[in-house]
Amino acid sequence: MKRLVCALLAACTLFAFSACSKSSGTNQKQEGKKKLVIWDYFETDSQKVMMTKLLEGFNASHQDYEATHVYVPFSDYQKQLTLGIASGELPDLVIMDGCSMAAFVKLGLLADISNADIAWNEYLTGPMESSMLDGKHYGLPFATNCTALIYNKDIFDAAGIPYPDENTTWADFREIARKLTKNGISGFGNAATNSDEGTFQCLQWLYTAGGSYKDIKGGVEAFRFMQDMIKEGIWTNEAVNWTQSDVNYNFMGGSLAMEQNGPWQIPVFAASAPDLNYGVTVLPKYDEKSGQATSILGGENIGIVKKADLTGGIAFLKYYDQNEVMIETMKMYGSFPPKAEAAKNSYWTDDPVQAAFIKQLQTSIPRGPSPSWPSYSAAIQTGFQEVMTMKKTPEQAAEDTQKAVNAVK
């Protein structure tokens, strides 16, 4: 998260939020309806339209509640939630990054809604786990996404190489990248910047090799694989400095044959590279005996703030839980529905690009979930940076990263 500009700004912002909450009368009667306030950090035009339509639909379908939302800048979001916990001035529901949810459960922000009349088992496993802690439900997955393998068909065609698919192994992937690295083109690149954005893109390689965010040594083969490919120059060493936007910029510019990225880049292609001839498939699996590779979940969850009366918040979640509501909302948002049945809608399944991301979602997992995720993420990404910059051998990096992970409280 970005730093808060100054304490005065935080205090003024909190006062503004408090005044808004008091004037709107959260959970108070107004014109015959109780008010529900939702905080979100959505700032693009499409996201704003999505929230407006979602709230209009809820309000039209309920005689007892009227929902409104308050925009809180993403850079200040966690700060404002923390301040709100201390002051008691909070909304009724919050939309937040899925990997942040466990930390705020531990801080006492969110209510246990495990007894709500919701069919939890209808959701994709990974997204649902990101909204849980210790077997209890603290909200619903709101929007979900993941990374997959995006490739330039023209570069493959010029080299006479078949496109990668669900049967592509790490060995196949390495050979493909080797053949495509020439004439100023690198075979592959991802976002490995030293931040949680880098963890989001690198962690799946560790899981696919048999490790986890707590078992680094079990996935040491991922460290070896990445370092070997970078030594060969077929996985660009620029990845350690790249964000996901940087990776996509280079892919669109033709200097990458393959990239690891997410569905949020689809509208970027349409706007900035409409003639780009690309395809999408699942990430390469470890070997022929392995199942589909893991990917890491992105997206948001929606949770109910712990208050005396949770009825209104649960009513909103039950409204969003409807397949038709979720489908229309995610069409506007540009992400995927976290419910298995909703994700089968033809809007996504009939589009081969969208369908490939949906397929990858089936084996995608959350970061954590853990209240200490930021500490785990920092330790893990330091390890990846050390491997990808040749600072340490894969074995030493795995050993040191394991010690750092074990030290997280």
Side-chain angles (χ1 to χ4, degrees):
M1 301 301 292
K2 298 177 181 176
R3 294 180 179 176
L4 198 59
V5 176
C6 63
L8 179 59
L9 177 59
C12 291
T13 306
L14 179 60
F15 175 81
F17 291 157
S18 299
C20 174
S21 296
K22 289 174 182 176
S23 63
S24 65
T26 304
N27 271 342
Q28 298 299 312
K29 294 274 186 179
Q30 183 176 345
E31 298 180 357
K33 288 190 174 185
K34 292 181 180 179
K35 299 291 286 185
L36 289 175
V37 177
I38 303 171
W39 281 9
D40 67 66
Y41 46 74
F42 298 139
E43 58 185 20
T44 69
D45 290 341
S46 61
Q47 289 170 339
K48 291 175 183 177
V49 170
M50 176 266 293
M51 281 302 292
T52 297
K53 295 293 185 182
L54 177 60
L55 297 186
E56 286 177 350
F58 173 78
N59 293 339
S61 67
H62 282 78
Q63 296 181 348
D64 297 329
Y65 301 101
E66 181 179 6
T68 60
H69 73 117
V70 174
Y71 165 74
V72 182
F74 183 74
S75 59
D76 291 344
Y77 203 75
Q78 294 194 30
K79 293 276 188 180
Q80 295 304 335
L81 287 174
T82 303
L83 289 169
I85 292 170
S87 69
E89 297 290 349
L90 287 164
D92 300 285
L93 300 107
V94 290
I95 294 175
M96 62 172 56
D97 190 323
C99 69
S100 302
M101 200 161 190
F104 281 99
V105 170
K106 284 295 187 182
L107 287 174
L109 174 69
L110 302 174
D112 177 1
I113 58 167
S114 301
N115 293 328
D117 183 21
I118 292 173
W120 311 106
N121 61 353
E122 293 182 359
Y123 283 77
L124 296 169
T125 301
M128 178 53 69
E129 287 180 349
S130 74
S131 65
M132 300 174 64
L133 188 65
D134 298 329
K136 297 179 181 179
H137 296 272
Y138 292 91
L140 285 179
F142 181 78
T144 193
N145 54 54
C146 64
T147 62
L149 186 66
I150 306 175
Y151 55 93
N152 186 311
K153 291 183 175 180
D154 289 340
I155 293 176
F156 273 77
D157 291 345
I161 298 173
Y163 302 147
D165 58 24
E166 66 273 11
N167 296 313
T168 301
T169 65
W170 277 15
D172 299 330
F173 175 72
R174 185 173 179 174
E175 183 61 24
I176 290 169
R178 184 181 293 117
K179 291 179 179 178
L180 295 176
T181 300
K182 57 184 177 181
N183 302 324
I185 299 173
S186 295
F188 176 73
N190 73 335
T193 180
N194 195 17
S195 69
D196 193 59
E197 185 174 9
T199 309
F200 176 59
Q201 286 228 352
C202 291
L203 187 59
Q204 73 84 207
W205 299 91
L206 187 74
Y207 270 89
T208 299
S212 72
Y213 79 98
K214 289 186 176 181
D215 180 14
I216 310 302
K217 294 173 72 173
V220 65
E221 189 59 35
F223 282 4
R224 296 192 188 104
F225 183 70
M226 296 166 85
Q227 190 173 89
D228 286 347
M229 286 189 67
I230 288 176
K231 282 182 178 178
E232 287 188 67
I234 59 180
W235 183 324
T236 177
N237 60 8
E238 291 295 329
V240 295
N241 301 312
W242 280 352
T243 66
Q244 294 175 111
S245 294
D246 295 330
V247 179
N248 199 52
Y249 176 82
N250 281 274
F251 180 76
M252 291 190 299
S255 61
L256 283 179
M258 298 180 287
E259 69 165 335
Q260 179 183 350
N261 229 313
W264 52 88
Q265 303 296 3
I266 296 173
V268 180
F269 293 148
S272 301
D275 297 326
L276 183 66
N277 186 19
Y278 71 96
V280 179
T281 188
V282 295
L283 290 158
K285 61 184 182 177
Y286 182 71
D287 59 24
E288 293 181 356
K289 297 179 181 179
S290 303
Q292 181 175 298
T294 302
S295 187
I296 306 301
L297 288 171
E300 285 79 31
N301 295 339
I302 182 166
I304 300 177
V305 173
K306 188 183 294 184
K307 293 187 175 183
D309 184 4
L310 306 179
T311 309
I314 290 175
F316 190 87
L317 293 190
K318 287 180 65 64
Y319 174 76
Y320 186 64
D321 181 55
Q322 299 174 90
N323 283 340
E324 62 273 17
V325 173
M326 188 177 291
I327 288 167
E328 293 307 312
T329 301
M330 288 300 99
K331 285 180 181 179
M332 290 182 281
Y333 184 67
S335 195
F336 300 115
K339 287 186 76 173
E341 190 61 33
K344 295 177 182 178
N345 184 271
S346 60
Y347 177 83
W348 292 282
T349 58
D350 287 356
D351 180 338
V353 168
Q354 301 275 15
F357 281 109
I358 290 289
K359 182 176 178 61
Q360 184 68 81
L361 277 174
Q362 306 302 318
T363 53
S364 296
I365 58 175
R367 285 163 282 173
S370 169
S372 301
W373 176 252
S375 297
Y376 282 116
S377 178
I380 293 166
Q381 197 54 24
T382 295
F384 279 117
Q385 286 269 316
E386 290 170 341
V387 165
M388 297 176 80
T389 59
M390 314 297 160
K391 186 177 180 180
K392 293 181 180 178
T393 66
E395 293 75 19
Q396 187 62 56
E399 182 72 30
D400 293 346
T401 305
Q402 187 69 65
K403 290 179 181 177
V405 163
N406 291 344
V408 174
K409 303 298 182 182

